[in-house]
DNA sequence: TTGAAAGCGCTACCAC
DNA sequence: GTGGTAGCGCTTTCAA
């Protein structure tokens, strides 16, 4: 029924071995032979059997990209960039070599994160890219370290993207870190510089690395300005989504009615924050400042800070691809520090209220 | 080096066949035997070899979900819902049965769409879910039909989600359609009902099914209100993204300065449209109406129209899972018609300008 | 440069 | 209810 490599071999009047070599292109084959084989492939409309190939070669062309929230455009941009870079031209030749980059949505659930890793391990994935903040939970971290070690031992390359490497498995992974602390700090400094003194902070969920690092940067800036007193009052935690940004901001405005600026821990949260502020009848930036892309003219494409994030993300994809192909040149564990996700445009308006 | 099923069999003092049966759970095995096997699995930290399994069984547990734009939250919601439904509990037992649902971002490119299908075909994917509007291009449609036929012949289940089935391959797919025409019509009728007469329409790219159907619904509503004259002037096309929504809206306002309402062809476009309107110094809804979620209090979760979309989407995921497991009960080709994506809240403000 | 053949690890059929 | 075993389709030595 289905065409096999042997069929192709027969039609091209060569051995299966030769067909395999042509398809994988990693072995010298006479030009005329190659031609003949490729024609046979086309004629028969042959598609390589991935499982068989993976079984024999003990590795697959699957690359998993894990994200915390697939409905968050930030992860979409990351995943898309990585996928584009890994997948290459996007046009598969008649045969192998092409990687299958797929994104897996953990929804922020530790169980699902581990589950996907198991599934990818089962598939003998070529590489796994872990994006977004990690959970700061001893138990889960241990489980992750164990699982990742096993994956790495089995030949799967691991790439961390915007997530600090685990304590143990440093040597196992390539890592692309964001300067969350510095980004948050600069953002807050910017607002301070504009004259704001009562600055609310809509933080992410408490147990994530990104949440902590960004909050630390924010507090650093406040401390340096001598404003750390009662900072907790100005901070509200919640998930990294729009709804949470909305609700947290309402809560914040209720608790501290005369804040003049709000920092959101990421763009999606900022979207909700801006909506909440407007619903309160306040104007951005006249009545209040909100840092987020909601008040930018258009898509994140145009935000310089985010643009600087995008490039490294594509690079991360390329790196995952290269790692998967076993031609890694960068030192393992090397960390590229770049602008943080939340280093978005702060409103330029000075405070008016209070 | 790596633990195989034979190792597990040896340790449990049973045959490989028995281990396989326990792991796949689709065959009667004595309870005590099962226990022994599972313990051996745990002891040895065994993980099934997916490729080997897929090769022998001639099918894999991979399910591909194709989306047009992974950075668009709408697709994120769709993909997430489908993935959650397909993946089941999200917690894999020690062994098989679990599907690996992964999302593939075509970026709206026909070449990449076909490419992913080839890649999934190569993996002998259990199912493929195609989401979002299709390209209305004879050549590409033919290529898709051919490819999908091949996939279906090889045992891959095909699910269309928010995309009209292809002319030929009707019998091959399960399909979940959105009432794009009806949704757009109702949205426009709503605005007409509020008294709007000069309504701009920011449409999607010309060659997509969703674009055409929604535009048709919009025009129907206008025609019924006797307003179809010069409707082209009020329509601007562009990609389904925020930037495009922004630019198209500016163009629209330049061309027709006294529109009192703008309909955006999807939520992401609406986001850009709202931003453009604000940048022009106009107020929503006082100066102008914009249909989109940007002016909703918070995330799309809370939008009734979108909620009605979500449920069927989860159902589509479930269906894909079931299809993949070969226990489909619904008639193939059955179509569930539901509210359209763009049937979002229209502003309730009456027109004030002009 | 090409061919022959031995597996890769698992499933499923056929016995028992 | 369990075991034996013949492939699944490909890759990769080893020879020629």
């Amino acid at each position: 029924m289905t065409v096999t490599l042997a069929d192709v071999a027969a039609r091209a009047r060569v051995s299966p071995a030769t067909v395999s070599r042509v398809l994988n292109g990693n072995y010298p084959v006479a030009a005329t032979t190659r031609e003949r084989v490729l024609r046979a492939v086309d004629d028969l409309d042959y598609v390589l059997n991935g499982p068989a190939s993976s079984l024999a070669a003990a590795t697959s062309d699957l690359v998993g990209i894990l994200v915390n929230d697939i409905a968050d455009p930030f992860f979409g941009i990351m995943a898309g960039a990585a996928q584009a870079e890994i997948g290459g031209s996007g046009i598969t030749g008649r045969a192998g070599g092409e990687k299958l980059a797929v994104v897996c949505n953990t929804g922020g659930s530790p169980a699902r994160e581990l589950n996907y890793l198991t599934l990818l391990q089962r598939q003998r994935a070529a590489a796994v890219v872990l994006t977004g903040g990690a959970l700061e939970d001893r138990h889960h971290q241990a489980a992750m370290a164990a699982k990742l070690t096993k994956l790495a031992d089995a030949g799967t390359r691991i790439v961390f993207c915007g997530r600090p490497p685990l304590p143990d498995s440093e040597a196992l992974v390539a890592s692309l870190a964001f300067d969350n602390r510095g980004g948050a700090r600069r953002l807050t400094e910017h607002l301070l510089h504009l004259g704001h003194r009562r600055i609310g902070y809509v933080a992410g969920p408490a147990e994530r690395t990104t949440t902590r690092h960004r909050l630390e940067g924010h507090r650093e800036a406040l401390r340096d300005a001598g404003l750390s007193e009662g900072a907790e009052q100005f901070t509200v935690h919640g998930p990294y989504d729009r709804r949470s940004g909305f609700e947290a901001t309402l809560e914040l405005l209720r608790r501290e009615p005369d804040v003049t600026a709000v920092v959101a821990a990421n763009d999606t949260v900022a979207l909700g924050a801006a909506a909440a502020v407007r619903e309160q009848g306040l104007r951005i930036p006249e009545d209040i400042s909100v840092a987020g892309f909601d008040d930018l003219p258009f898509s994140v494409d145009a935000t310089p800070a985010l643009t600087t994030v995008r490039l490294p993300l594509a690079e991360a994809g390329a790196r995952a691809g290269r790692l998967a192909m076993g031609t890694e040149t960068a030192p393992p564990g090397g960390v590229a520090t770049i602008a943080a996700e939340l280093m978005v445009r702060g409103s330029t308006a000075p405070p008016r209220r209070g």
Side-chain angles (χ1 to χ4, degrees), chain A residues 185-234:
Chain A
R185 184 190 175 113
R186 271 174 284 156
L187 183 53
T188 301
E189 283 171 352
H190 175 66
L191 293 172
L192 288 168
H193 179 73
L194 292 176
H196 293 281
R197 284 300 171 269
R198 287 181 304 284
I199 303 173
Y201 188 89
V202 181
E207 62 287 354
R208 296 234 156 234
T209 52
T210 43
T211 301
R212 182 163 62 79
H213 295 155
R214 290 169 193 181
L215 192 46
E216 285 170 3
H218 171 67
R219 293 275 166 83
E220 274 172 28
L222 289 182
R223 191 182 332 110
D224 290 358
L227 292 172
S228 51
E229 274 310 297
E232 284 75 15
Q233 267 307 102
F234 288 83

Short mmCIF file of all heavy atoms in Angstrom, two decimals, chain A residues 185-234:
data_model
loop_
_atom_site.label_atom_id
_atom_site.label_comp_id
_atom_site.label_asym_id
_atom_site.label_seq_id
_atom_site.Cartn_x
_atom_site.Cartn_y
_atom_site.Cartn_z
N ARG A 185 14.13 47.45 36.68
CA ARG A 185 14.76 48.57 37.36
C ARG A 185 14.76 49.81 36.47
O ARG A 185 14.36 50.90 36.89
CB ARG A 185 16.20 48.17 37.70
CG ARG A 185 16.91 49.22 38.49
CD ARG A 185 18.40 48.91 38.60
NE ARG A 185 19.02 50.03 39.28
CZ ARG A 185 19.56 49.94 40.47
NH1 ARG A 185 19.61 48.79 41.09
NH2 ARG A 185 20.06 51.02 41.05
N ARG A 186 15.14 49.62 35.24
CA ARG A 186 15.19 50.76 34.33
C ARG A 186 13.81 51.35 34.08
O ARG A 186 13.62 52.55 33.97
CB ARG A 186 15.82 50.33 33.00
CG ARG A 186 17.33 50.50 33.00
CD ARG A 186 17.93 49.93 31.74
NE ARG A 186 17.97 48.48 31.78
CZ ARG A 186 18.01 47.70 30.72
NH1 ARG A 186 18.00 48.22 29.52
NH2 ARG A 186 18.07 46.40 30.86
N LEU A 187 12.84 50.48 33.99
CA LEU A 187 11.48 50.93 33.77
C LEU A 187 11.02 51.82 34.93
O LEU A 187 10.49 52.91 34.73
CB LEU A 187 10.56 49.72 33.62
CG LEU A 187 9.10 49.99 33.30
CD1 LEU A 187 8.98 50.88 32.08
CD2 LEU A 187 8.38 48.67 33.07
N THR A 188 11.26 51.34 36.12
CA THR A 188 10.85 52.11 37.29
C THR A 188 11.65 53.40 37.41
O THR A 188 11.11 54.46 37.73
CB THR A 188 11.02 51.25 38.56
OG1 THR A 188 10.22 50.07 38.42
CG2 THR A 188 10.60 52.02 39.80
N GLU A 189 12.92 53.31 37.12
CA GLU A 189 13.75 54.52 37.15
C GLU A 189 13.22 55.57 36.18
O GLU A 189 13.22 56.77 36.47
CB GLU A 189 15.20 54.17 36.79
CG GLU A 189 15.96 53.51 37.93
CD GLU A 189 17.31 52.96 37.49
OE1 GLU A 189 17.59 52.97 36.27
OE2 GLU A 189 18.08 52.53 38.36
N HIS A 190 12.78 55.08 35.07
CA HIS A 190 12.22 55.99 34.08
C HIS A 190 11.02 56.74 34.65
O HIS A 190 10.90 57.96 34.51
CB HIS A 190 11.81 55.18 32.85
CG HIS A 190 11.10 55.97 31.80
ND1 HIS A 190 11.72 56.97 31.08
CD2 HIS A 190 9.83 55.92 31.34
CE1 HIS A 190 10.87 57.51 30.23
NE2 HIS A 190 9.71 56.88 30.38
N LEU A 191 10.16 56.01 35.31
CA LEU A 191 8.98 56.64 35.89
C LEU A 191 9.37 57.60 37.02
O LEU A 191 8.80 58.69 37.15
CB LEU A 191 8.01 55.58 36.41
CG LEU A 191 7.36 54.72 35.32
CD1 LEU A 191 6.57 53.57 35.93
CD2 LEU A 191 6.45 55.56 34.43
N LEU A 192 10.34 57.21 37.81
CA LEU A 192 10.82 58.08 38.88
C LEU A 192 11.37 59.37 38.29
O LEU A 192 11.13 60.47 38.78
CB LEU A 192 11.91 57.36 39.68
CG LEU A 192 11.43 56.22 40.58
CD1 LEU A 192 12.61 55.40 41.08
CD2 LEU A 192 10.61 56.77 41.75
N HIS A 193 12.09 59.20 37.22
CA HIS A 193 12.70 60.32 36.55
C HIS A 193 11.64 61.31 36.06
O HIS A 193 11.86 62.52 36.01
CB HIS A 193 13.53 59.82 35.37
CG HIS A 193 14.20 60.90 34.61
ND1 HIS A 193 15.28 61.60 35.10
CD2 HIS A 193 13.93 61.43 33.38
CE1 HIS A 193 15.65 62.51 34.22
NE2 HIS A 193 14.86 62.43 33.17
N LEU A 194 10.49 60.80 35.71
CA LEU A 194 9.41 61.66 35.25
C LEU A 194 8.73 62.38 36.41
O LEU A 194 7.84 63.21 36.21
CB LEU A 194 8.37 60.84 34.49
CG LEU A 194 8.81 60.24 33.15
CD1 LEU A 194 7.70 59.37 32.59
CD2 LEU A 194 9.17 61.35 32.17
N GLY A 195 9.10 62.01 37.61
CA GLY A 195 8.54 62.68 38.76
C GLY A 195 7.53 61.86 39.55
O GLY A 195 7.01 62.31 40.57
N HIS A 196 7.27 60.67 39.10
CA HIS A 196 6.32 59.83 39.84
C HIS A 196 6.91 59.41 41.18
O HIS A 196 8.10 59.11 41.28
CB HIS A 196 5.99 58.57 39.02
CG HIS A 196 5.21 58.87 37.77
ND1 HIS A 196 3.86 59.11 37.77
CD2 HIS A 196 5.62 58.97 36.48
CE1 HIS A 196 3.46 59.34 36.53
NE2 HIS A 196 4.51 59.27 35.71
N ARG A 197 6.08 59.38 42.20
CA ARG A 197 6.54 58.95 43.52
C ARG A 197 5.66 57.82 44.07
O ARG A 197 6.10 57.03 44.89
CB ARG A 197 6.52 60.14 44.50
CG ARG A 197 7.68 61.11 44.29
CD ARG A 197 9.04 60.43 44.47
NE ARG A 197 10.17 61.27 44.07
CZ ARG A 197 10.70 61.29 42.85
NH1 ARG A 197 10.19 60.53 41.89
NH2 ARG A 197 11.72 62.06 42.58
N ARG A 198 4.43 57.77 43.65
CA ARG A 198 3.55 56.68 44.09
C ARG A 198 3.28 55.78 42.89
O ARG A 198 2.40 56.05 42.07
CB ARG A 198 2.26 57.24 44.68
CG ARG A 198 2.47 57.87 46.07
CD ARG A 198 1.18 58.39 46.64
NE ARG A 198 0.55 59.34 45.71
CZ ARG A 198 0.96 60.60 45.53
NH1 ARG A 198 1.99 61.06 46.22
NH2 ARG A 198 0.35 61.38 44.67
N ILE A 199 4.08 54.74 42.81
CA ILE A 199 4.05 53.85 41.65
C ILE A 199 3.53 52.47 42.02
O ILE A 199 4.10 51.79 42.86
CB ILE A 199 5.47 53.71 41.04
CG1 ILE A 199 6.01 55.09 40.68
CG2 ILE A 199 5.45 52.79 39.83
CD1 ILE A 199 7.46 55.10 40.23
N GLY A 200 2.43 52.10 41.41
CA GLY A 200 1.89 50.76 41.67
C GLY A 200 2.62 49.72 40.83
O GLY A 200 3.19 50.04 39.79
N TYR A 201 2.61 48.49 41.32
CA TYR A 201 3.28 47.42 40.56
C TYR A 201 2.37 46.20 40.48
O TYR A 201 2.01 45.61 41.50
CB TYR A 201 4.61 47.07 41.22
CG TYR A 201 5.45 46.11 40.41
CD1 TYR A 201 6.35 46.58 39.46
CD2 TYR A 201 5.32 44.73 40.57
CE1 TYR A 201 7.11 45.71 38.69
CE2 TYR A 201 6.08 43.85 39.80
CZ TYR A 201 6.97 44.35 38.87
OH TYR A 201 7.72 43.49 38.11
N VAL A 202 1.97 45.87 39.27
CA VAL A 202 1.15 44.68 39.09
C VAL A 202 2.08 43.53 38.73
O VAL A 202 2.58 43.44 37.61
CB VAL A 202 0.10 44.88 37.98
CG1 VAL A 202 -0.77 43.63 37.84
CG2 VAL A 202 -0.77 46.09 38.30
N ALA A 203 2.31 42.68 39.71
CA ALA A 203 3.30 41.62 39.57
C ALA A 203 2.69 40.33 39.05
O ALA A 203 1.48 40.16 39.03
CB ALA A 203 3.98 41.36 40.91
N GLY A 204 3.55 39.42 38.63
CA GLY A 204 3.11 38.10 38.20
C GLY A 204 2.87 37.20 39.39
O GLY A 204 2.87 37.66 40.54
N PRO A 205 2.64 35.93 39.15
CA PRO A 205 2.41 34.99 40.25
C PRO A 205 3.68 34.85 41.09
O PRO A 205 4.79 34.88 40.57
CB PRO A 205 2.08 33.68 39.54
CG PRO A 205 2.59 33.83 38.16
CD PRO A 205 2.57 35.29 37.84
N ALA A 206 3.49 34.72 42.39
CA ALA A 206 4.60 34.81 43.34
C ALA A 206 5.72 33.80 43.11
O ALA A 206 6.88 34.09 43.36
CB ALA A 206 4.06 34.67 44.75
N GLU A 207 5.39 32.64 42.62
CA GLU A 207 6.40 31.57 42.64
C GLU A 207 7.22 31.44 41.36
O GLU A 207 7.90 30.46 41.16
CB GLU A 207 5.74 30.25 43.01
CG GLU A 207 4.68 29.76 42.05
CD GLU A 207 3.38 30.54 42.11
OE1 GLU A 207 3.22 31.43 42.99
OE2 GLU A 207 2.51 30.30 41.27
N ARG A 208 7.14 32.46 40.49
CA ARG A 208 7.91 32.36 39.24
C ARG A 208 9.20 33.17 39.31
O ARG A 208 9.24 34.24 39.91
CB ARG A 208 7.09 32.88 38.05
CG ARG A 208 5.87 32.08 37.76
CD ARG A 208 5.81 31.62 36.31
NE ARG A 208 4.98 30.44 36.22
CZ ARG A 208 5.36 29.29 35.68
NH1 ARG A 208 6.54 29.18 35.13
NH2 ARG A 208 4.55 28.27 35.67
N THR A 209 10.20 32.69 38.66
CA THR A 209 11.48 33.39 38.66
C THR A 209 11.35 34.78 38.06
O THR A 209 11.89 35.75 38.59
CB THR A 209 12.54 32.62 37.86
OG1 THR A 209 12.01 32.32 36.57
CG2 THR A 209 12.90 31.31 38.56
N THR A 210 10.63 34.88 36.96
CA THR A 210 10.49 36.19 36.31
C THR A 210 9.81 37.18 37.25
O THR A 210 10.21 38.34 37.33
CB THR A 210 9.64 36.07 35.04
OG1 THR A 210 8.52 35.22 35.30
CG2 THR A 210 10.46 35.48 33.91
N THR A 211 8.79 36.72 37.94
CA THR A 211 8.09 37.58 38.88
C THR A 211 9.05 38.14 39.92
O THR A 211 9.09 39.35 40.16
CB THR A 211 6.98 36.80 39.60
OG1 THR A 211 6.08 36.28 38.63
CG2 THR A 211 6.23 37.69 40.57
N ARG A 212 9.81 37.25 40.51
CA ARG A 212 10.71 37.67 41.58
C ARG A 212 11.78 38.63 41.06
O ARG A 212 12.00 39.70 41.63
CB ARG A 212 11.37 36.44 42.20
CG ARG A 212 12.28 36.79 43.37
CD ARG A 212 12.60 35.60 44.24
NE ARG A 212 13.32 34.56 43.51
CZ ARG A 212 14.63 34.60 43.24
NH1 ARG A 212 15.35 35.63 43.62
NH2 ARG A 212 15.21 33.62 42.59
N HIS A 213 12.40 38.26 39.96
CA HIS A 213 13.49 39.09 39.45
C HIS A 213 13.02 40.49 39.06
O HIS A 213 13.66 41.49 39.36
CB HIS A 213 14.15 38.40 38.25
CG HIS A 213 14.83 37.13 38.61
ND1 HIS A 213 15.05 36.11 37.72
CD2 HIS A 213 15.36 36.71 39.80
CE1 HIS A 213 15.67 35.12 38.33
NE2 HIS A 213 15.86 35.45 39.59
N ARG A 214 11.87 40.54 38.42
CA ARG A 214 11.36 41.85 38.02
C ARG A 214 10.99 42.69 39.22
O ARG A 214 11.27 43.89 39.28
CB ARG A 214 10.15 41.67 37.10
CG ARG A 214 10.56 41.12 35.76
CD ARG A 214 9.41 40.68 34.89
NE ARG A 214 9.95 39.89 33.78
CZ ARG A 214 9.24 39.36 32.81
NH1 ARG A 214 7.93 39.51 32.77
NH2 ARG A 214 9.83 38.67 31.85
N LEU A 215 10.37 42.03 40.17
CA LEU A 215 9.98 42.76 41.38
C LEU A 215 11.22 43.27 42.11
O LEU A 215 11.25 44.40 42.60
CB LEU A 215 9.16 41.83 42.29
CG LEU A 215 8.42 42.48 43.46
CD1 LEU A 215 7.68 43.73 43.01
CD2 LEU A 215 7.45 41.49 44.08
N GLU A 216 12.25 42.46 42.14
CA GLU A 216 13.50 42.89 42.78
C GLU A 216 14.08 44.12 42.10
O GLU A 216 14.51 45.06 42.77
CB GLU A 216 14.51 41.74 42.76
CG GLU A 216 14.22 40.64 43.77
CD GLU A 216 15.09 39.40 43.58
OE1 GLU A 216 15.98 39.42 42.70
OE2 GLU A 216 14.87 38.43 44.31
N GLY A 217 14.06 44.12 40.80
CA GLY A 217 14.57 45.28 40.06
C GLY A 217 13.77 46.53 40.37
O GLY A 217 14.32 47.61 40.60
N HIS A 218 12.48 46.35 40.42
CA HIS A 218 11.58 47.46 40.72
C HIS A 218 11.89 48.02 42.11
O HIS A 218 12.07 49.22 42.30
CB HIS A 218 10.14 46.93 40.67
CG HIS A 218 9.11 47.88 41.17
ND1 HIS A 218 8.81 49.05 40.52
CD2 HIS A 218 8.30 47.82 42.26
CE1 HIS A 218 7.86 49.68 41.19
NE2 HIS A 218 7.53 48.96 42.25
N ARG A 219 12.02 47.12 43.08
CA ARG A 219 12.28 47.54 44.46
C ARG A 219 13.64 48.21 44.60
O ARG A 219 13.81 49.14 45.38
CB ARG A 219 12.19 46.32 45.39
CG ARG A 219 10.79 45.72 45.51
CD ARG A 219 9.97 46.42 46.57
NE ARG A 219 8.55 46.07 46.45
CZ ARG A 219 8.00 44.96 46.97
NH1 ARG A 219 8.75 44.10 47.62
NH2 ARG A 219 6.72 44.73 46.82
N GLU A 220 14.59 47.71 43.85
CA GLU A 220 15.92 48.33 43.87
C GLU A 220 15.84 49.80 43.47
O GLU A 220 16.40 50.67 44.13
CB GLU A 220 16.85 47.62 42.87
CG GLU A 220 17.56 46.39 43.41
CD GLU A 220 18.30 45.66 42.29
OE1 GLU A 220 18.70 46.34 41.31
OE2 GLU A 220 18.45 44.43 42.39
N ALA A 221 15.13 50.03 42.41
CA ALA A 221 14.99 51.41 41.93
C ALA A 221 14.31 52.27 42.98
O ALA A 221 14.72 53.41 43.24
CB ALA A 221 14.20 51.43 40.63
N LEU A 222 13.28 51.71 43.60
CA LEU A 222 12.57 52.47 44.64
C LEU A 222 13.50 52.76 45.82
O LEU A 222 13.53 53.87 46.35
CB LEU A 222 11.36 51.67 45.14
CG LEU A 222 10.17 51.52 44.18
CD1 LEU A 222 9.05 50.76 44.86
CD2 LEU A 222 9.68 52.88 43.69
N ARG A 223 14.23 51.72 46.22
CA ARG A 223 15.13 51.88 47.36
C ARG A 223 16.15 52.98 47.09
O ARG A 223 16.38 53.85 47.92
CB ARG A 223 15.84 50.56 47.65
CG ARG A 223 16.58 50.59 48.98
CD ARG A 223 17.34 49.31 49.30
NE ARG A 223 16.75 48.13 48.69
CZ ARG A 223 17.32 47.46 47.69
NH1 ARG A 223 18.47 47.87 47.16
NH2 ARG A 223 16.74 46.39 47.20
N ASP A 224 16.72 52.96 45.91
CA ASP A 224 17.71 53.96 45.57
C ASP A 224 17.11 55.37 45.57
O ASP A 224 17.82 56.35 45.76
CB ASP A 224 18.30 53.68 44.18
CG ASP A 224 19.18 52.43 44.22
OD1 ASP A 224 19.33 51.85 45.31
OD2 ASP A 224 19.69 52.05 43.16
N ALA A 225 15.82 55.43 45.38
CA ALA A 225 15.16 56.73 45.40
C ALA A 225 14.62 57.03 46.79
O ALA A 225 13.93 58.03 47.00
CB ALA A 225 14.04 56.77 44.38
N GLY A 226 14.92 56.15 47.73
CA GLY A 226 14.45 56.34 49.10
C GLY A 226 12.96 56.17 49.25
O GLY A 226 12.32 56.79 50.09
N LEU A 227 12.38 55.33 48.42
CA LEU A 227 10.92 55.19 48.44
C LEU A 227 10.45 53.79 48.81
O LEU A 227 9.31 53.42 48.55
CB LEU A 227 10.35 55.53 47.06
CG LEU A 227 10.45 56.97 46.61
CD1 LEU A 227 10.03 57.09 45.15
CD2 LEU A 227 9.58 57.86 47.48
N SER A 228 11.31 53.00 49.41
CA SER A 228 10.93 51.60 49.61
C SER A 228 9.91 51.41 50.73
O SER A 228 9.30 50.35 50.83
CB SER A 228 12.17 50.75 49.87
OG SER A 228 12.94 51.33 50.89
N GLU A 229 9.69 52.44 51.53
CA GLU A 229 8.69 52.34 52.58
C GLU A 229 7.32 51.89 52.06
O GLU A 229 6.78 52.50 51.15
CB GLU A 229 8.50 53.71 53.26
CG GLU A 229 9.47 54.01 54.39
CD GLU A 229 9.56 52.89 55.41
OE1 GLU A 229 8.53 52.61 56.05
OE2 GLU A 229 10.65 52.28 55.56
N GLY A 230 6.81 50.84 52.63
CA GLY A 230 5.46 50.41 52.29
C GLY A 230 5.24 50.01 50.84
O GLY A 230 4.13 50.10 50.33
N ALA A 231 6.31 49.59 50.21
CA ALA A 231 6.20 49.21 48.80
C ALA A 231 5.24 48.05 48.61
O ALA A 231 4.59 47.94 47.57
CB ALA A 231 7.58 48.86 48.25
N GLU A 232 5.14 47.21 49.63
CA GLU A 232 4.25 46.05 49.52
C GLU A 232 2.81 46.49 49.23
O GLU A 232 2.08 45.82 48.52
CB GLU A 232 4.27 45.21 50.80
CG GLU A 232 5.50 44.34 50.96
CD GLU A 232 6.72 45.17 51.37
OE1 GLU A 232 6.55 46.33 51.78
OE2 GLU A 232 7.85 44.65 51.24
N GLN A 233 2.46 47.61 49.83
CA GLN A 233 1.10 48.12 49.65
C GLN A 233 0.81 48.42 48.18
O GLN A 233 -0.32 48.37 47.74
CB GLN A 233 0.92 49.41 50.45
CG GLN A 233 0.36 49.20 51.83
CD GLN A 233 -0.93 48.39 51.79
OE1 GLN A 233 -0.94 47.19 52.08
NE2 GLN A 233 -2.03 49.03 51.40
N PHE A 234 1.86 48.74 47.45
CA PHE A 234 1.69 49.15 46.06
C PHE A 234 1.86 47.99 45.08
O PHE A 234 1.87 48.19 43.89
CB PHE A 234 2.70 50.26 45.72
CG PHE A 234 2.38 51.58 46.35
CD1 PHE A 234 2.76 51.86 47.66
CD2 PHE A 234 1.67 52.53 45.63
CE1 PHE A 234 2.45 53.09 48.24
CE2 PHE A 234 1.36 53.76 46.21
CZ PHE A 234 1.75 54.03 47.52
#
